[in-house]
Amino acid sequence: MVTLQAFQPLIDTVQGSLLLASPEDGRIYCANQLACILLASPHSELLKSSVYDFLPDKTEAYNICRELAGNNMIYNRGMQLSTGTGRLFDVQLSARRILLDQVPLLVVSFSDRTEAKVLGQLLDFERQLVERSLSIVKTLKEEGRQSEDEDKLTGVVGMHRLMSSAHAETSRAKRYGGSLSSLALELVNIPEMVPREDDGSAYSHLIRLAGSLCLQSSRDSDLVARRSANAFVILLPQTPIGGAHEMGRRLIKSLRQLTFLYQGAENQAAACIGISTLRPEETSPAPMLERLEDALAKARAGGANYIIELP
């Protein structure tokens, strides 16, 4: 089915979950990103599976095949699917047999009916955690609330937005079984900014370079925030602690290649890094961020180029 590869960019734009499969045995040829997420199965693994592997009731596969043989289409049927990890969830499913360039195909689309309910629970959950979230923000910021000027200087978001995203990503990780990690980077040889209003100082130059490096090293799904005057926090969805460590190693290596002039001398940039990850039993990002703060403190005590993990 090489010709179907051309349809991958197209089906990735579909808002719902979409699968293209064999009408005979349900073997999946193409799947969009949302289908991979809802079925909790990587794209490469999904292409080795059958549509019917995700039916918790195997007799349902026979009923679907018989109904498609008679009517050629199933529309908006309420039923259950099972993820790759065995979690059951309610869906509205449609399926139809088609001919594409004389090749028979089974087109399956489905949407998660529990989404609206979970979103409502998420809003209630976030309201309950507002007070604790504000406390964590205060702990993470050594120099208090960040100003708009600091955000303009670095080009990254503030900690309030990161905290909001951390709660949403935690709920998403718990729902779909993914990983969530966080990384804190602190520059250890910051020059004094004299005067502090001088955006062309060595201080501002180094901070801008560090912020730019963090952004360039992150993915579209990651979020980089300014933690304090000389530190950044990066939220890493769908990333285990090993991936976060590799990112930290690359950041330190890249920072060591940056230089800045201060009082007539050339200096090499250096940083230390703390890393933490969300534990399976945790339903809030707060414990992960508390461990992140502890990891960064230990790395700061070690000095330049230290990476400390507290899973």
Side-chain angles (χ1 to χ4, degrees):
M1 303 302 293
V2 176
T3 57
L4 290 180
Q5 294 177 357
F7 285 87
Q8 191 64 50
L10 177 63
I11 68 173
D12 280 340
T13 64
V14 176
Q15 291 186 351
S17 301
L18 186 64
L19 304 172
L20 301 183
S22 164
E24 286 75 24
D25 57 6
R27 178 174 173 266
I28 298 171
Y29 297 137
C30 292
N32 66 358
Q33 186 176 15
L34 185 57
C36 297
I37 292 173
L38 291 183
L39 294 176
S41 180
H43 190 267
S44 58
E45 294 297 324
L46 207 57
L47 298 188
K48 300 176 184 178
S49 307
S50 166
V51 171
Y52 304 121
D53 292 341
F54 299 97
L55 294 174
D57 183 2
K58 299 310 176 184
T59 61
E60 189 70 28
Y62 171 78
N63 295 333
I64 289 177
C65 290
R66 185 177 63 178
E67 187 168 345
L68 286 173
N71 302 325
N72 207 42
M73 184 176 181
I74 295 174
Y75 181 71
N76 213 27
R77 172 181 292 179
M79 57 187 298
Q80 280 193 327
L81 292 181
S82 174
T83 68
T85 57
R87 183 183 66 85
L88 301 180
F89 64 106
D90 296 327
V91 300
Q92 294 292 129
L93 183 140
S94 298
R96 184 169 186 172
R97 290 186 174 186
I98 66 169
L99 281 177
L100 181 64
D101 196 19
Q102 302 306 311
V103 176
L105 284 177
L106 176 63
V107 181
V108 179
S109 63
F110 58 92
S111 58
D112 188 353
R113 289 194 299 175
T114 63
E115 184 174 358
K117 179 180 178 181
V118 171
L119 286 176
Q121 293 174 341
L122 175 61
L123 290 174
D124 291 338
F125 180 70
E126 289 191 36
R127 281 193 292 267
Q128 295 170 6
L129 291 172
V130 167
E131 184 175 348
R132 189 172 185 186
S133 297
L134 292 176
S135 175
I136 295 298
V137 170
K138 183 178 179 181
T139 302
L140 287 173
K141 294 181 180 179
E142 293 180 345
E143 297 186 7
R145 187 182 300 273
Q146 294 178 331
S147 66
E148 292 183 357
D149 290 338
E150 288 178 324
D151 287 342
K152 291 177 182 178
L153 174 64
T154 61
V156 302
V157 304
M159 287 298 297
H160 282 288
R161 180 174 168 187
L162 182 132
M163 290 300 301
S164 177
S165 296
H167 285 299
E169 292 296 342
T170 296
S171 298
R172 189 173 289 112
K174 300 303 295 182
R175 183 181 180 190
Y176 299 120
S179 303
L180 177 63
S181 296
S182 56
L183 180 152
L185 177 147
E186 182 172 308
L187 296 166
V188 299
N189 59 340
I190 287 290
E192 183 180 359
M193 186 169 72
V194 181
R196 288 189 173 275
E197 293 77 16
D198 178 12
D199 288 338
S201 67
Y203 168 89
S204 298
H205 176 66
L206 181 57
I207 293 297
R208 278 196 296 264
L209 286 176
S212 177
L213 180 61
C214 289
L215 288 172
Q216 292 172 18
S217 301
S218 61
R219 307 162 300 179
D220 290 342
S221 57
D222 301 336
L223 189 64
V224 183
R226 184 87 176 273
R227 173 191 173 277
S228 63
N230 60 331
F232 299 88
V233 172
I234 306 177
L235 191 67
L236 301 167
Q238 296 296 325
T239 304
I241 198 163
H245 184 95
E246 177 61 23
M247 182 180 188
R249 190 188 64 81
R250 292 197 308 267
L251 282 170
I252 283 182
K253 182 179 179 180
S254 299
L255 271 170
R256 292 173 64 183
Q257 299 174 13
L258 298 180
T259 59
F260 59 94
L261 290 175
Y262 180 57
Q263 295 182 348
E266 188 176 72
N267 297 269
Q268 185 182 58
C272 60
I273 285 178
I275 296 172
S276 186
T277 189
L278 189 73
R279 295 175 180 174
E281 69 274 11
E282 292 173 347
T283 58
S284 164
M288 175 185 69
L289 295 176
E290 289 172 350
R291 291 193 300 275
L292 179 66
E293 180 72 10
D294 292 340
L296 184 60
K298 293 179 185 293
R300 188 186 306 119
N305 304 326
Y306 266 73
I307 300 179
I308 300 296
E309 298 178 4
L310 290 179

